[in-house]
Amino acid sequence: MKTTDDLTALAHDALATLGVPAEVLDDGPSALMARSPLTGGTLLGVRSADADAVERAIADAHEAFLAWRVTPAPVRGQLVKRFGELLRAHKETLADLVTIEVGKIRSEALGEVQEMIDICDFALGLSRQLYGRTMPSERAGHRLQEVWHPLGVVGVISAFNFPVAVWSWNTAVALVCGDAVVWKPSELAPLCALGCGALLDRAIAETGAPAGLSQVVIGGREVGELLVDSPLVPLVSATGSTRMGREVGPRVARRLGRSLLELGGNNAVVLTPSADLQLAINSIVFAAAGTAGQRCTSQRRLIVHESIVDDVVARLASAFDRLPVGDPFEPGTLVGPLVNERASDAMQAALAAVRAQGGEVVTGGERVDTGMGGVWVRPALVRVPEQAGIVLQETFAPILYVLTYRDFDEALALHNSVSQGLSAGIFTSDQGEAERFLAPDGADTGIANVNVATSGAEIGGAFGGEKDTGGGRESGSDAWKAYMRRSTNTINYSGTVQLAQGVDFSV
Ligand code: NAD
């Protein structure tokens, strides 16, 4: 069992291994104190960025962008290739920081770093595939084409629960697109950010890319606000709560900047009578209790057919009761800590609302004393009536609400009744139901799965959600287009003036 001193020593070793310069460590009055949810203890202080430092970081990134944008994209790809190699070599060390700062169990922390490696592989290939189109021109001797150009400095604001992967989705793609990146990580995970930044700086130096392409600015929302307001930041990619997105989106729009918003989820699985129940239960337990319910894609609602609900609840309760809660560094642990006391308060408030609204806590929800300090809870399985209002809100903790349905239309209506629209799943052997779930009038989410629950997306697809989730898409597929500007070109090689739409303007 690790103490705060052990974790501090481990964090120091990790930062040194990753090449974080000692001068960023700072115990002064304006420092941001990194802490660990494993013990609740303070680890070490890091220098936070004041307004001048943020302005300098943006200016340096912009300067680097001016050179980077004319570097051929396949050459830019060599930077993410090298970064991916460094991530492979330092996977364990970076995963240590993820576990120390946000409490992910070992395999999820390693998985998060693997996601970074995967997006580097993807971005390397993408660096040769930033395709534009050529269209037939209506004018003889003319050519019409679209090309994609680098956009500028991308401001990345990230949430605590994916302290390394979300930045890498943005950064690997932005770099091959010819952009520079200024990152404002969560105030709860500054060490992860410094570690990532140091590795990328090393890749930049080794490949001869312009210094300054990657900047990390440490601090709270006031630092994020400086990115949001900067005219030198054409795109702000912000990941976090819907509350944050409602502040950031309009503010960026006011200066006619672009924002890419990845916000809260309230994800559900529909469980039908024809489903393979064992497959479903195993998938649901991971989606609901994995990462201690602290994923944007965590499953929060289970919409189950009334004919199987008692059996399903009994099986889930038995699985929830057996979940090992404890030290995430221990190999057998499946549920680590909540990030802080505030998360536990939110969970208890939600469970109180469940009781007040006629629901029943079937099992879990209680604090677990691991002897380490920190905040630990047993994931809660809850039955609620259809009209319980608490189900409509995202509580960032492991609570699974069980609702029942009679016919499939009712299941779909319940599914789509929340304001968030991130991720969905259906478990069924009925192809008709599966297809309806994926149809235009089916699940209204950005991600919809069949016989796969809500969490654990791959990087190859575009990631993001609709409604209060913000509408952004990042990671794979054609999400790269958000990081570039499109230029439509008409080239006249005819030697004559021909106006579009047959307009005659002879002089
Ligand atoms: P949060 O909204 O509290 O903070 C996220 C980030 O935004 C932090 O870096 C914070 O400093 C910054 N921030 C907050 N207010 C700001 C403002 N007004 N201007 C600029 N920056 C501001 O979220 P959190 O508690 O760190 O993370 C949990 C939330 O994030 C959940 O709602 C979860 O669903 C969501 N999330 C969404 C995704 C996704 O891809 N959709 C991924 C991860 C987390």
Side-chain angles (χ1 to χ4, degrees), residues 157-162 184-187 220-221 224-225 228 239-244 247-248 262-265 296 394 396 422 463 469:
I157 296 173
S158 59
F160 81 86
N161 65 320
F162 272 92
K184 204 300 278 177
S186 166
E187 47 276 59
R221 58 182 287 170
E225 286 167 2
V228 165
T239 300
S241 58
T242 296
R243 177 206 57 76
M244 178 276 285
E247 290 163 11
V248 166
E262 299 279 355
L263 310 175
C296 51
E394 179 195 47
F396 217 56
L422 181 51
F463 181 91
T469 304

PDB file of all heavy atoms in Angstrom, residues 157-162 184-187 220-221 224-225 228 239-244 247-248 262-265 296 394 396 422 463 469, ligand 1:
ATOM      1  N   ILE A 157      -8.097  22.471 -24.130  1.00  0.00           N
ATOM      2  CA  ILE A 157      -8.455  22.512 -22.699  1.00  0.00           C
ATOM      3  C   ILE A 157      -8.978  21.123 -22.374  1.00  0.00           C
ATOM      4  O   ILE A 157      -9.867  20.616 -23.061  1.00  0.00           O
ATOM      5  CB  ILE A 157      -9.555  23.569 -22.450  1.00  0.00           C
ATOM      6  CG1 ILE A 157      -9.022  24.968 -22.774  1.00  0.00           C
ATOM      7  CG2 ILE A 157     -10.051  23.507 -21.006  1.00  0.00           C
ATOM      8  CD1 ILE A 157     -10.078  26.073 -22.736  1.00  0.00           C
ATOM      9  N   SER A 158      -8.410  20.473 -21.352  1.00  0.00           N
ATOM     10  CA  SER A 158      -8.812  19.083 -21.137  1.00  0.00           C
ATOM     11  C   SER A 158      -9.298  18.834 -19.722  1.00  0.00           C
ATOM     12  O   SER A 158      -9.015  19.582 -18.794  1.00  0.00           O
ATOM     13  CB  SER A 158      -7.664  18.131 -21.499  1.00  0.00           C
ATOM     14  OG  SER A 158      -6.535  18.408 -20.724  1.00  0.00           O
ATOM     15  N   ALA A 159     -10.056  17.730 -19.593  1.00  0.00           N
ATOM     16  CA  ALA A 159     -10.670  17.324 -18.323  1.00  0.00           C
ATOM     17  C   ALA A 159      -9.705  16.416 -17.563  1.00  0.00           C
ATOM     18  O   ALA A 159      -8.748  15.887 -18.124  1.00  0.00           O
ATOM     19  CB  ALA A 159     -11.978  16.594 -18.617  1.00  0.00           C
ATOM     20  N   PHE A 160     -10.025  16.189 -16.283  1.00  0.00           N
ATOM     21  CA  PHE A 160      -9.100  15.400 -15.457  1.00  0.00           C
ATOM     22  C   PHE A 160      -9.104  13.921 -15.812  1.00  0.00           C
ATOM     23  O   PHE A 160      -8.107  13.225 -15.632  1.00  0.00           O
ATOM     24  CB  PHE A 160      -9.455  15.566 -13.967  1.00  0.00           C
ATOM     25  CG  PHE A 160     -10.593  14.690 -13.508  1.00  0.00           C
ATOM     26  CD1 PHE A 160     -10.369  13.382 -13.084  1.00  0.00           C
ATOM     27  CD2 PHE A 160     -11.900  15.151 -13.509  1.00  0.00           C
ATOM     28  CE1 PHE A 160     -11.426  12.574 -12.680  1.00  0.00           C
ATOM     29  CE2 PHE A 160     -12.952  14.348 -13.109  1.00  0.00           C
ATOM     30  CZ  PHE A 160     -12.716  13.059 -12.699  1.00  0.00           C
ATOM     31  N   ASN A 161     -10.232  13.416 -16.349  1.00  0.00           N
ATOM     32  CA  ASN A 161     -10.406  11.964 -16.359  1.00  0.00           C
ATOM     33  C   ASN A 161      -9.712  11.266 -17.522  1.00  0.00           C
ATOM     34  O   ASN A 161      -9.555  10.054 -17.500  1.00  0.00           O
ATOM     35  CB  ASN A 161     -11.903  11.625 -16.351  1.00  0.00           C
ATOM     36  CG  ASN A 161     -12.582  12.086 -17.611  1.00  0.00           C
ATOM     37  OD1 ASN A 161     -12.295  13.152 -18.124  1.00  0.00           O
ATOM     38  ND2 ASN A 161     -13.484  11.281 -18.132  1.00  0.00           N
ATOM     39  N   PHE A 162      -9.327  12.018 -18.544  1.00  0.00           N
ATOM     40  CA  PHE A 162      -8.425  11.479 -19.575  1.00  0.00           C
ATOM     41  C   PHE A 162      -7.247  12.439 -19.655  1.00  0.00           C
ATOM     42  O   PHE A 162      -7.154  13.254 -20.561  1.00  0.00           O
ATOM     43  CB  PHE A 162      -9.148  11.292 -20.917  1.00  0.00           C
ATOM     44  CG  PHE A 162      -9.807   9.956 -21.010  1.00  0.00           C
ATOM     45  CD1 PHE A 162     -11.115   9.787 -20.615  1.00  0.00           C
ATOM     46  CD2 PHE A 162      -9.096   8.838 -21.423  1.00  0.00           C
ATOM     47  CE1 PHE A 162     -11.722   8.538 -20.642  1.00  0.00           C
ATOM     48  CE2 PHE A 162      -9.687   7.580 -21.461  1.00  0.00           C
ATOM     49  CZ  PHE A 162     -11.001   7.434 -21.074  1.00  0.00           C
ATOM     50  N   LYS A 184      -3.965  23.589 -22.056  1.00  0.00           N
ATOM     51  CA  LYS A 184      -4.307  23.911 -20.666  1.00  0.00           C
ATOM     52  C   LYS A 184      -4.918  22.638 -20.097  1.00  0.00           C
ATOM     53  O   LYS A 184      -6.102  22.349 -20.282  1.00  0.00           O
ATOM     54  CB  LYS A 184      -5.314  25.056 -20.644  1.00  0.00           C
ATOM     55  CG  LYS A 184      -5.335  25.866 -19.364  1.00  0.00           C
ATOM     56  CD  LYS A 184      -5.653  25.105 -18.108  1.00  0.00           C
ATOM     57  CE  LYS A 184      -7.122  24.881 -17.879  1.00  0.00           C
ATOM     58  NZ  LYS A 184      -7.387  24.076 -16.661  1.00  0.00           N
ATOM     59  N   PRO A 185      -4.101  21.843 -19.388  1.00  0.00           N
ATOM     60  CA  PRO A 185      -4.639  20.590 -18.846  1.00  0.00           C
ATOM     61  C   PRO A 185      -5.514  20.856 -17.628  1.00  0.00           C
ATOM     62  O   PRO A 185      -5.549  21.967 -17.099  1.00  0.00           O
ATOM     63  CB  PRO A 185      -3.375  19.832 -18.431  1.00  0.00           C
ATOM     64  CG  PRO A 185      -2.377  20.901 -18.129  1.00  0.00           C
ATOM     65  CD  PRO A 185      -2.697  22.055 -19.037  1.00  0.00           C
ATOM     66  N   SER A 186      -6.178  19.819 -17.161  1.00  0.00           N
ATOM     67  CA  SER A 186      -6.954  19.934 -15.923  1.00  0.00           C
ATOM     68  C   SER A 186      -6.025  20.304 -14.775  1.00  0.00           C
ATOM     69  O   SER A 186      -4.895  19.797 -14.670  1.00  0.00           O
ATOM     70  CB  SER A 186      -7.626  18.604 -15.612  1.00  0.00           C
ATOM     71  OG  SER A 186      -8.100  18.608 -14.282  1.00  0.00           O
ATOM     72  N   GLU A 187      -6.519  21.145 -13.894  1.00  0.00           N
ATOM     73  CA  GLU A 187      -5.746  21.502 -12.698  1.00  0.00           C
ATOM     74  C   GLU A 187      -5.542  20.294 -11.795  1.00  0.00           C
ATOM     75  O   GLU A 187      -4.709  20.323 -10.892  1.00  0.00           O
ATOM     76  CB  GLU A 187      -6.399  22.655 -11.938  1.00  0.00           C
ATOM     77  CG  GLU A 187      -7.898  22.556 -11.696  1.00  0.00           C
ATOM     78  CD  GLU A 187      -8.730  23.046 -12.896  1.00  0.00           C
ATOM     79  OE1 GLU A 187      -8.582  22.490 -14.005  1.00  0.00           O
ATOM     80  OE2 GLU A 187      -9.528  23.977 -12.715  1.00  0.00           O
ATOM     81  N   GLY A 220      -5.738  27.011 -13.588  1.00  0.00           N
ATOM     82  CA  GLY A 220      -7.165  26.749 -13.503  1.00  0.00           C
ATOM     83  C   GLY A 220      -7.911  27.354 -14.675  1.00  0.00           C
ATOM     84  O   GLY A 220      -7.321  27.683 -15.717  1.00  0.00           O
ATOM     85  N   ARG A 221      -9.221  27.555 -14.490  1.00  0.00           N
ATOM     86  CA  ARG A 221     -10.053  28.010 -15.593  1.00  0.00           C
ATOM     87  C   ARG A 221      -9.625  29.370 -16.123  1.00  0.00           C
ATOM     88  O   ARG A 221      -9.794  29.667 -17.303  1.00  0.00           O
ATOM     89  CB  ARG A 221     -11.514  28.039 -15.183  1.00  0.00           C
ATOM     90  CG  ARG A 221     -11.794  28.921 -13.983  1.00  0.00           C
ATOM     91  CD  ARG A 221     -13.230  28.878 -13.591  1.00  0.00           C
ATOM     92  NE  ARG A 221     -14.037  29.607 -14.548  1.00  0.00           N
ATOM     93  CZ  ARG A 221     -15.356  29.582 -14.552  1.00  0.00           C
ATOM     94  NH1 ARG A 221     -15.990  28.866 -13.680  1.00  0.00           N
ATOM     95  NH2 ARG A 221     -16.039  30.290 -15.424  1.00  0.00           N
ATOM     96  N   GLY A 224      -7.445  28.826 -18.903  1.00  0.00           N
ATOM     97  CA  GLY A 224      -8.252  28.402 -20.054  1.00  0.00           C
ATOM     98  C   GLY A 224      -8.929  29.591 -20.718  1.00  0.00           C
ATOM     99  O   GLY A 224      -8.995  29.681 -21.951  1.00  0.00           O
ATOM    100  N   GLU A 225      -9.410  30.504 -19.908  1.00  0.00           N
ATOM    101  CA  GLU A 225     -10.118  31.671 -20.453  1.00  0.00           C
ATOM    102  C   GLU A 225      -9.208  32.523 -21.343  1.00  0.00           C
ATOM    103  O   GLU A 225      -9.663  33.139 -22.312  1.00  0.00           O
ATOM    104  CB  GLU A 225     -10.703  32.509 -19.313  1.00  0.00           C
ATOM    105  CG  GLU A 225     -11.926  31.844 -18.692  1.00  0.00           C
ATOM    106  CD  GLU A 225     -12.354  32.472 -17.376  1.00  0.00           C
ATOM    107  OE1 GLU A 225     -11.727  33.463 -16.944  1.00  0.00           O
ATOM    108  OE2 GLU A 225     -13.315  31.955 -16.773  1.00  0.00           O
ATOM    109  N   VAL A 228      -9.271  30.908 -24.593  1.00  0.00           N
ATOM    110  CA  VAL A 228     -10.597  31.105 -25.182  1.00  0.00           C
ATOM    111  C   VAL A 228     -10.699  32.487 -25.835  1.00  0.00           C
ATOM    112  O   VAL A 228     -11.303  32.637 -26.903  1.00  0.00           O
ATOM    113  CB  VAL A 228     -11.664  30.934 -24.065  1.00  0.00           C
ATOM    114  CG1 VAL A 228     -13.013  31.478 -24.490  1.00  0.00           C
ATOM    115  CG2 VAL A 228     -11.777  29.461 -23.669  1.00  0.00           C
ATOM    116  N   THR A 239     -12.598  20.006 -23.691  1.00  0.00           N
ATOM    117  CA  THR A 239     -13.208  18.780 -23.179  1.00  0.00           C
ATOM    118  C   THR A 239     -13.505  18.969 -21.705  1.00  0.00           C
ATOM    119  O   THR A 239     -12.610  19.347 -20.944  1.00  0.00           O
ATOM    120  CB  THR A 239     -12.241  17.590 -23.368  1.00  0.00           C
ATOM    121  OG1 THR A 239     -11.973  17.456 -24.755  1.00  0.00           O
ATOM    122  CG2 THR A 239     -12.843  16.304 -22.841  1.00  0.00           C
ATOM    123  N   GLY A 240     -14.737  18.696 -21.304  1.00  0.00           N
ATOM    124  CA  GLY A 240     -15.097  18.827 -19.893  1.00  0.00           C
ATOM    125  C   GLY A 240     -16.596  18.822 -19.731  1.00  0.00           C
ATOM    126  O   GLY A 240     -17.325  18.292 -20.576  1.00  0.00           O
ATOM    127  N   SER A 241     -17.042  19.436 -18.670  1.00  0.00           N
ATOM    128  CA  SER A 241     -18.469  19.405 -18.343  1.00  0.00           C
ATOM    129  C   SER A 241     -19.284  20.264 -19.319  1.00  0.00           C
ATOM    130  O   SER A 241     -18.759  21.184 -19.950  1.00  0.00           O
ATOM    131  CB  SER A 241     -18.672  19.926 -16.924  1.00  0.00           C
ATOM    132  OG  SER A 241     -18.145  21.230 -16.825  1.00  0.00           O
ATOM    133  N   THR A 242     -20.571  19.981 -19.379  1.00  0.00           N
ATOM    134  CA  THR A 242     -21.468  20.805 -20.202  1.00  0.00           C
ATOM    135  C   THR A 242     -21.473  22.238 -19.681  1.00  0.00           C
ATOM    136  O   THR A 242     -21.530  23.196 -20.460  1.00  0.00           O
ATOM    137  CB  THR A 242     -22.877  20.184 -20.192  1.00  0.00           C
ATOM    138  OG1 THR A 242     -22.773  18.895 -20.814  1.00  0.00           O
ATOM    139  CG2 THR A 242     -23.874  21.033 -20.946  1.00  0.00           C
ATOM    140  N   ARG A 243     -21.365  22.396 -18.366  1.00  0.00           N
ATOM    141  CA  ARG A 243     -21.286  23.745 -17.794  1.00  0.00           C
ATOM    142  C   ARG A 243     -20.121  24.510 -18.421  1.00  0.00           C
ATOM    143  O   ARG A 243     -20.271  25.658 -18.864  1.00  0.00           O
ATOM    144  CB  ARG A 243     -21.096  23.658 -16.269  1.00  0.00           C
ATOM    145  CG  ARG A 243     -20.923  25.022 -15.612  1.00  0.00           C
ATOM    146  CD  ARG A 243     -20.145  24.972 -14.306  1.00  0.00           C
ATOM    147  NE  ARG A 243     -18.820  24.391 -14.377  1.00  0.00           N
ATOM    148  CZ  ARG A 243     -17.729  24.994 -14.872  1.00  0.00           C
ATOM    149  NH1 ARG A 243     -17.806  26.216 -15.367  1.00  0.00           N
ATOM    150  NH2 ARG A 243     -16.565  24.379 -14.883  1.00  0.00           N
ATOM    151  N   MET A 244     -18.968  23.866 -18.483  1.00  0.00           N
ATOM    152  CA  MET A 244     -17.792  24.527 -19.064  1.00  0.00           C
ATOM    153  C   MET A 244     -18.054  24.864 -20.535  1.00  0.00           C
ATOM    154  O   MET A 244     -17.765  25.975 -21.000  1.00  0.00           O
ATOM    155  CB  MET A 244     -16.565  23.608 -18.911  1.00  0.00           C
ATOM    156  CG  MET A 244     -15.283  24.119 -19.511  1.00  0.00           C
ATOM    157  SD  MET A 244     -15.129  23.769 -21.263  1.00  0.00           S
ATOM    158  CE  MET A 244     -14.747  22.033 -21.243  1.00  0.00           C
ATOM    159  N   GLU A 247     -19.965  27.920 -21.243  1.00  0.00           N
ATOM    160  CA  GLU A 247     -19.209  29.166 -21.071  1.00  0.00           C
ATOM    161  C   GLU A 247     -18.240  29.381 -22.244  1.00  0.00           C
ATOM    162  O   GLU A 247     -18.135  30.474 -22.793  1.00  0.00           O
ATOM    163  CB  GLU A 247     -18.434  29.128 -19.743  1.00  0.00           C
ATOM    164  CG  GLU A 247     -19.343  29.211 -18.528  1.00  0.00           C
ATOM    165  CD  GLU A 247     -18.667  28.767 -17.234  1.00  0.00           C
ATOM    166  OE1 GLU A 247     -17.422  28.582 -17.225  1.00  0.00           O
ATOM    167  OE2 GLU A 247     -19.393  28.600 -16.243  1.00  0.00           O
ATOM    168  N   VAL A 248     -17.551  28.303 -22.603  1.00  0.00           N
ATOM    169  CA  VAL A 248     -16.493  28.425 -23.613  1.00  0.00           C
ATOM    170  C   VAL A 248     -17.074  28.662 -25.018  1.00  0.00           C
ATOM    171  O   VAL A 248     -16.604  29.543 -25.752  1.00  0.00           O
ATOM    172  CB  VAL A 248     -15.598  27.157 -23.595  1.00  0.00           C
ATOM    173  CG1 VAL A 248     -14.710  27.087 -24.827  1.00  0.00           C
ATOM    174  CG2 VAL A 248     -14.759  27.122 -22.318  1.00  0.00           C
ATOM    175  N   GLU A 262     -16.298  18.825 -26.472  1.00  0.00           N
ATOM    176  CA  GLU A 262     -16.488  17.413 -26.082  1.00  0.00           C
ATOM    177  C   GLU A 262     -16.935  17.438 -24.629  1.00  0.00           C
ATOM    178  O   GLU A 262     -16.113  17.538 -23.716  1.00  0.00           O
ATOM    179  CB  GLU A 262     -15.169  16.639 -26.216  1.00  0.00           C
ATOM    180  CG  GLU A 262     -14.607  16.593 -27.635  1.00  0.00           C
ATOM    181  CD  GLU A 262     -15.258  15.529 -28.497  1.00  0.00           C
ATOM    182  OE1 GLU A 262     -16.087  14.741 -27.986  1.00  0.00           O
ATOM    183  OE2 GLU A 262     -14.943  15.480 -29.694  1.00  0.00           O
ATOM    184  N   LEU A 263     -18.252  17.337 -24.400  1.00  0.00           N
ATOM    185  CA  LEU A 263     -18.790  17.636 -23.068  1.00  0.00           C
ATOM    186  C   LEU A 263     -19.431  16.398 -22.423  1.00  0.00           C
ATOM    187  O   LEU A 263     -19.183  15.278 -22.841  1.00  0.00           O
ATOM    188  CB  LEU A 263     -19.767  18.803 -23.195  1.00  0.00           C
ATOM    189  CG  LEU A 263     -19.202  20.015 -23.968  1.00  0.00           C
ATOM    190  CD1 LEU A 263     -20.258  21.085 -24.152  1.00  0.00           C
ATOM    191  CD2 LEU A 263     -17.954  20.575 -23.289  1.00  0.00           C
ATOM    192  N   GLY A 264     -20.254  16.641 -21.431  1.00  0.00           N
ATOM    193  CA  GLY A 264     -20.761  15.555 -20.599  1.00  0.00           C
ATOM    194  C   GLY A 264     -21.643  14.554 -21.330  1.00  0.00           C
ATOM    195  O   GLY A 264     -22.275  14.855 -22.345  1.00  0.00           O
ATOM    196  N   GLY A 265     -21.711  13.350 -20.772  1.00  0.00           N
ATOM    197  CA  GLY A 265     -22.559  12.298 -21.332  1.00  0.00           C
ATOM    198  C   GLY A 265     -23.538  11.791 -20.285  1.00  0.00           C
ATOM    199  O   GLY A 265     -23.398  12.073 -19.093  1.00  0.00           O
ATOM    200  N   CYS A 296     -16.464  10.045 -19.586  1.00  0.00           N
ATOM    201  CA  CYS A 296     -17.585  10.716 -20.255  1.00  0.00           C
ATOM    202  C   CYS A 296     -18.515   9.673 -20.859  1.00  0.00           C
ATOM    203  O   CYS A 296     -19.720   9.887 -20.973  1.00  0.00           O
ATOM    204  CB  CYS A 296     -17.065  11.655 -21.339  1.00  0.00           C
ATOM    205  SG  CYS A 296     -15.910  10.868 -22.460  1.00  0.00           S
ATOM    206  N   GLU A 394     -25.968  14.127 -15.351  1.00  0.00           N
ATOM    207  CA  GLU A 394     -24.728  13.358 -15.285  1.00  0.00           C
ATOM    208  C   GLU A 394     -24.111  13.549 -13.902  1.00  0.00           C
ATOM    209  O   GLU A 394     -23.738  14.664 -13.536  1.00  0.00           O
ATOM    210  CB  GLU A 394     -23.729  13.855 -16.345  1.00  0.00           C
ATOM    211  CG  GLU A 394     -22.398  13.096 -16.316  1.00  0.00           C
ATOM    212  CD  GLU A 394     -21.278  13.811 -17.088  1.00  0.00           C
ATOM    213  OE1 GLU A 394     -21.109  15.030 -16.900  1.00  0.00           O
ATOM    214  OE2 GLU A 394     -20.570  13.132 -17.854  1.00  0.00           O
ATOM    215  N   PHE A 396     -20.858  12.434 -11.945  1.00  0.00           N
ATOM    216  CA  PHE A 396     -19.589  11.853 -12.392  1.00  0.00           C
ATOM    217  C   PHE A 396     -19.029  10.897 -11.335  1.00  0.00           C
ATOM    218  O   PHE A 396     -18.029  11.162 -10.665  1.00  0.00           O
ATOM    219  CB  PHE A 396     -18.611  12.971 -12.713  1.00  0.00           C
ATOM    220  CG  PHE A 396     -17.741  12.648 -13.897  1.00  0.00           C
ATOM    221  CD1 PHE A 396     -18.306  12.329 -15.119  1.00  0.00           C
ATOM    222  CD2 PHE A 396     -16.358  12.654 -13.799  1.00  0.00           C
ATOM    223  CE1 PHE A 396     -17.524  12.016 -16.218  1.00  0.00           C
ATOM    224  CE2 PHE A 396     -15.560  12.347 -14.887  1.00  0.00           C
ATOM    225  CZ  PHE A 396     -16.151  12.029 -16.098  1.00  0.00           C
ATOM    226  N   LEU A 422     -23.980  11.427 -26.014  1.00  0.00           N
ATOM    227  CA  LEU A 422     -22.633  10.950 -26.355  1.00  0.00           C
ATOM    228  C   LEU A 422     -22.622   9.511 -26.878  1.00  0.00           C
ATOM    229  O   LEU A 422     -22.362   9.276 -28.047  1.00  0.00           O
ATOM    230  CB  LEU A 422     -21.703  11.108 -25.132  1.00  0.00           C
ATOM    231  CG  LEU A 422     -20.253  10.668 -25.333  1.00  0.00           C
ATOM    232  CD1 LEU A 422     -19.634  11.287 -26.576  1.00  0.00           C
ATOM    233  CD2 LEU A 422     -19.409  11.010 -24.110  1.00  0.00           C
ATOM    234  N   PHE A 463     -14.815  10.664 -32.662  1.00  0.00           N
ATOM    235  CA  PHE A 463     -15.322  10.575 -31.297  1.00  0.00           C
ATOM    236  C   PHE A 463     -16.029  11.867 -30.909  1.00  0.00           C
ATOM    237  O   PHE A 463     -15.473  12.957 -31.080  1.00  0.00           O
ATOM    238  CB  PHE A 463     -14.166  10.320 -30.320  1.00  0.00           C
ATOM    239  CG  PHE A 463     -14.632  10.184 -28.896  1.00  0.00           C
ATOM    240  CD1 PHE A 463     -14.954   8.942 -28.376  1.00  0.00           C
ATOM    241  CD2 PHE A 463     -14.781  11.308 -28.097  1.00  0.00           C
ATOM    242  CE1 PHE A 463     -15.416   8.818 -27.072  1.00  0.00           C
ATOM    243  CE2 PHE A 463     -15.241  11.183 -26.791  1.00  0.00           C
ATOM    244  CZ  PHE A 463     -15.558   9.941 -26.281  1.00  0.00           C
ATOM    245  N   THR A 469     -23.777  17.339 -25.325  1.00  0.00           N
ATOM    246  CA  THR A 469     -22.387  16.857 -25.388  1.00  0.00           C
ATOM    247  C   THR A 469     -21.552  17.763 -26.286  1.00  0.00           C
ATOM    248  O   THR A 469     -20.322  17.667 -26.292  1.00  0.00           O
ATOM    249  CB  THR A 469     -22.361  15.377 -25.817  1.00  0.00           C
ATOM    250  OG1 THR A 469     -23.179  14.645 -24.905  1.00  0.00           O
ATOM    251  CG2 THR A 469     -20.965  14.782 -25.789  1.00  0.00           C
TER     252      THR A 469
HETATM  253  P1  NAD B   1     -14.573  20.601 -15.949  1.00  0.00           P
HETATM  254  O1  NAD B   1     -15.597  21.148 -16.876  1.00  0.00           O
HETATM  255  O2  NAD B   1     -14.669  20.931 -14.522  1.00  0.00           O
HETATM  256  O3  NAD B   1     -13.115  21.064 -16.426  1.00  0.00           O
HETATM  257  C1  NAD B   1     -12.598  20.737 -17.691  1.00  0.00           C
HETATM  258  C2  NAD B   1     -11.525  21.717 -18.079  1.00  0.00           C
HETATM  259  O4  NAD B   1     -12.113  22.977 -18.393  1.00  0.00           O
HETATM  260  C3  NAD B   1     -10.498  22.002 -16.989  1.00  0.00           C
HETATM  261  O5  NAD B   1      -9.222  22.103 -17.584  1.00  0.00           O
HETATM  262  C4  NAD B   1     -10.942  23.348 -16.434  1.00  0.00           C
HETATM  263  O6  NAD B   1      -9.909  24.096 -15.854  1.00  0.00           O
HETATM  264  C5  NAD B   1     -11.459  24.022 -17.694  1.00  0.00           C
HETATM  265  N1  NAD B   1     -12.469  25.067 -17.505  1.00  0.00           N
HETATM  266  C6  NAD B   1     -13.534  25.056 -16.673  1.00  0.00           C
HETATM  267  N2  NAD B   1     -14.271  26.166 -16.853  1.00  0.00           N
HETATM  268  C7  NAD B   1     -13.671  26.890 -17.828  1.00  0.00           C
HETATM  269  C8  NAD B   1     -13.959  28.129 -18.452  1.00  0.00           C
HETATM  270  N3  NAD B   1     -15.024  28.854 -18.114  1.00  0.00           N
HETATM  271  N4  NAD B   1     -13.134  28.580 -19.433  1.00  0.00           N
HETATM  272  C9  NAD B   1     -12.054  27.859 -19.801  1.00  0.00           C
HETATM  273  N5  NAD B   1     -11.719  26.674 -19.218  1.00  0.00           N
HETATM  274  C10 NAD B   1     -12.529  26.197 -18.248  1.00  0.00           C
HETATM  275  O7  NAD B   1     -14.592  18.999 -16.152  1.00  0.00           O
HETATM  276  P2  NAD B   1     -13.858  17.862 -15.314  1.00  0.00           P
HETATM  277  O8  NAD B   1     -14.487  17.727 -13.968  1.00  0.00           O
HETATM  278  O9  NAD B   1     -12.368  18.024 -15.387  1.00  0.00           O
HETATM  279  O10 NAD B   1     -14.199  16.561 -16.197  1.00  0.00           O
HETATM  280  C11 NAD B   1     -15.401  15.865 -16.105  1.00  0.00           C
HETATM  281  C12 NAD B   1     -16.388  16.289 -17.182  1.00  0.00           C
HETATM  282  O11 NAD B   1     -15.777  16.220 -18.466  1.00  0.00           O
HETATM  283  C13 NAD B   1     -17.589  15.367 -17.273  1.00  0.00           C
HETATM  284  O12 NAD B   1     -18.732  16.132 -17.522  1.00  0.00           O
HETATM  285  C14 NAD B   1     -17.269  14.468 -18.467  1.00  0.00           C
HETATM  286  O13 NAD B   1     -18.389  13.883 -19.080  1.00  0.00           O
HETATM  287  C15 NAD B   1     -16.583  15.455 -19.362  1.00  0.00           C
HETATM  288  N6  NAD B   1     -15.724  14.787 -20.344  1.00  0.00           N
HETATM  289  C16 NAD B   1     -16.164  14.743 -21.640  1.00  0.00           C
HETATM  290  C17 NAD B   1     -15.393  14.071 -22.586  1.00  0.00           C
HETATM  291  C18 NAD B   1     -15.856  13.968 -24.012  1.00  0.00           C
HETATM  292  O14 NAD B   1     -15.043  13.630 -24.859  1.00  0.00           O
HETATM  293  N7  NAD B   1     -17.116  14.246 -24.323  1.00  0.00           N
HETATM  294  C19 NAD B   1     -14.186  13.468 -22.217  1.00  0.00           C
HETATM  295  C20 NAD B   1     -13.777  13.553 -20.892  1.00  0.00           C
HETATM  296  C21 NAD B   1     -14.560  14.205 -19.950  1.00  0.00           C
END
